[in-house]
Amino acid sequence: MSLSRNWISKWKSVDDPCWEICHPWDNSCCGTSVGMVFVMFPRCFRVYLPLYLVSDLMSHGFNVKALVLHTLPNSLRSTTFLTLQGSLLFTFSCLLRKLLGRFYMYTPVFIPIACSSFLGILLERKERRPPLSSYMCVEAAYGLYYTLKSRGIIKSVPNGEVMLFSFALSVLCHSMEHHGKDLSLSFLRFLLNPYFPVVNGSIVNTLCRNTLLARYPTTALILSVAETCGWSFLIGYCGRSLSSMVTMLLRRKTFTNLMKPWLHKNNVQFGLFLAALTGIYKLSLAVFRQFLSLSKASLLAGALAGLSMLICKSPFTALYGAVKAIEILYWKYVQVGWLPSVRHANIPLYSLATAIAIHLVLSDIIQ
């Protein structure tokens, strides 16, 4: 969209036709909307198919029936959702231009993307809507923060992302130890793995809440923490490097550059970040359980483990963790009757967050 710099900066309206503002490559509004379907569908399918394929292979193994009945239909459904959302953006933008007679500040992007997102998310599976709304809330908050910061309205707090991540991880670890069923908690439980080996060489899944350092030798505890750190480093380093390799292959880069991700310092830092997170949490939880209950120990251990972000600072990761923590706290207070439950709230939340995020991105590009 080729929006006017003067119009954006001074919040004015323009009477330019929609093909000059929204789709300068094609004068036809209907042709643009239909053309976006053919452009976006194959690209979205190339994104969603590997995601569902890897997820199903990790969950069910290589099962042809599961791949045909689960992977392919879900990939096509998610692809249709995102394709419809992108196509309807131009449809609503042109429709508002014809109804209002001119473009205003929020009619080319904000209102159309909110409407298209609302209709598009209805095609997605219900279990996919909450994580999508959480992700877009993070994107919107991330964009708002940097927009306000770039304009001098707010200032950054030194190590603010570390403090935010410590708060979020504290809440998440507390919920994890109390049998939270959220998908992110399942991954966190797999990553932290708060179980300890018994002496004499045998491995017993003994919960940390039943463990005292007096019962298990210090050597066993140190070896257990070291093993967890090693596996976490491999998961973080190899996972991020492989992801970079897949991205390079999808972008059709030459095969000679495929070794670069394995030598990039950011991937090593991410592996060290996960190793420090799991090691600090596991060791802190074992120590605190001698003096405190599991509830208080998990809170403190999670807060200390959040300091691992000093190795690899990421405001987006901190914001995502904070959003998941707020979501968990909200549902906890809904269960005890302190807050009301709003049915299907993730649909308008996703629509609003997507509109804010995309509007901010286009405004920043123009300015």
Side-chain angles (χ1 to χ4, degrees):
M1 294 187 178
S2 56
L3 304 179
S4 170
R5 178 193 297 263
N6 183 58
W7 169 58
I8 284 288
S9 61
K10 296 184 178 181
W11 290 53
K12 292 182 178 180
S13 62
V14 293
D15 57 357
D16 296 4
C18 58
W19 60 81
E20 291 186 5
I21 299 295
C22 301
H23 48 90
W25 61 88
D26 191 350
N27 292 340
S28 172
C29 300
C30 295
T32 300
S33 298
V34 175
M36 289 304 298
V37 173
F38 292 99
V39 171
M40 292 189 62
F41 190 89
R43 296 185 179 183
C44 296
F45 188 72
R46 287 200 300 265
V47 172
Y48 277 112
L49 182 61
L51 291 177
Y52 282 107
L53 183 61
V54 172
S55 176
D56 291 341
L57 288 176
M58 293 178 64
S59 302
H60 311 291
F62 185 77
N63 189 334
V64 178
K65 184 178 180 180
L67 295 179
V68 173
L69 299 179
H70 186 268
T71 305
L72 188 60
N74 289 341
S75 301
L76 291 173
R77 186 168 181 176
S78 296
T79 300
T80 305
F81 135 71
L82 198 57
T83 302
L84 180 65
Q85 179 176 316
S87 176
L88 290 180
L89 165 63
F90 294 91
T91 303
F92 283 113
S93 183
C94 296
L95 182 62
L96 285 174
R97 170 63 179 83
K98 293 184 182 342
L99 292 176
L100 300 178
R102 50 194 305 123
F103 277 120
Y104 296 92
M105 178 64 183
Y106 296 103
T107 55
V109 180
F110 187 85
I111 297 177
I113 195 62
C115 296
S116 63
S117 300
F118 187 90
L119 295 177
I121 195 67
L122 295 176
L123 294 180
E124 187 59 286
R125 293 178 296 132
K126 291 184 178 180
E127 58 268 23
R128 283 271 300 158
R129 295 172 187 172
L132 281 173
S133 61
S134 298
Y135 176 79
M136 290 312 303
C137 284
V138 176
E139 289 283 1
Y142 192 70
L144 279 173
Y145 168 73
Y146 275 98
T147 300
L148 296 175
K149 180 182 175 182
S150 63
R151 296 178 181 178
I153 300 176
I154 61 174
K155 295 182 179 180
S156 60
V157 180
N159 296 322
E161 64 271 25
V162 179
M163 293 184 284
L164 185 62
F165 186 69
S166 294
F167 157 75
L169 195 60
S170 179
V171 175
L172 292 174
C173 290
H174 178 269
S175 302
M176 178 192 69
E177 294 294 347
H178 287 76
H179 309 290
K181 297 182 180 180
D182 190 87
L183 181 61
S184 58
L185 295 182
S186 300
F187 174 74
L188 193 63
R189 186 179 293 110
F190 163 76
L191 186 64
L192 296 179
N193 187 25
Y195 302 99
F196 289 87
V198 181
V199 290
N200 299 327
S202 62
I203 303 296
V204 179
N205 288 336
T206 306
L207 281 173
C208 184
R209 67 189 72 177
N210 298 326
T211 304
L212 294 175
L213 292 181
R215 183 178 177 184
Y216 296 102
T218 306
T219 303
L221 175 61
I222 294 175
L223 290 176
S224 177
V225 173
E227 181 184 6
T228 303
C229 291
W231 278 111
S232 300
F233 176 80
L234 290 177
I235 291 173
Y237 172 66
C238 296
R240 191 155 178 171
S241 300
L242 287 173
S243 176
S244 300
M245 287 181 60
V246 171
T247 303
M248 293 175 65
L249 288 174
L250 292 176
R251 292 178 179 176
R252 299 178 181 179
K253 295 290 185 68
T254 58
F255 289 92
T256 56
N257 297 326
L258 291 181
M259 291 304 298
K260 282 188 177 181
W262 300 94
L263 304 176
H264 204 283
K265 66 176 184 179
N266 289 344
N267 298 338
V268 178
Q269 285 181 341
F270 186 71
L272 292 175
F273 157 69
L274 286 185
L277 188 152
T278 55
I280 294 174
Y281 178 78
K282 194 168 187 178
L283 184 61
S284 302
L285 188 63
V287 174
F288 289 146
R289 278 298 291 135
Q290 296 183 91
F291 316 103
L292 302 172
S293 63
L294 178 64
S295 177
K296 296 179 180 179
S298 58
L299 281 172
L300 291 176
L304 284 177
L307 298 177
S308 59
M309 182 157 281
L310 290 169
I311 300 175
C312 182
K313 293 184 179 181
S314 173
F316 184 84
T317 303
L319 277 173
Y320 185 79
V323 168
K324 296 302 297 184
I326 293 173
E327 181 184 351
I328 290 172
L329 291 175
Y330 168 75
W331 286 113
K332 179 180 179 180
Y333 292 139
V334 165
Q335 291 177 357
V336 298
W338 291 3
L339 291 175
S341 176
V342 182
R343 295 186 62 186
H344 308 297
N346 47 28
I347 296 177
L349 187 62
Y350 171 80
S351 305
L352 180 62
T354 304
I356 292 174
I358 295 180
H359 182 82
L360 290 173
V361 168
L362 291 178
S363 300
D364 288 341
I365 291 174
I366 294 164
Q367 294 178 357

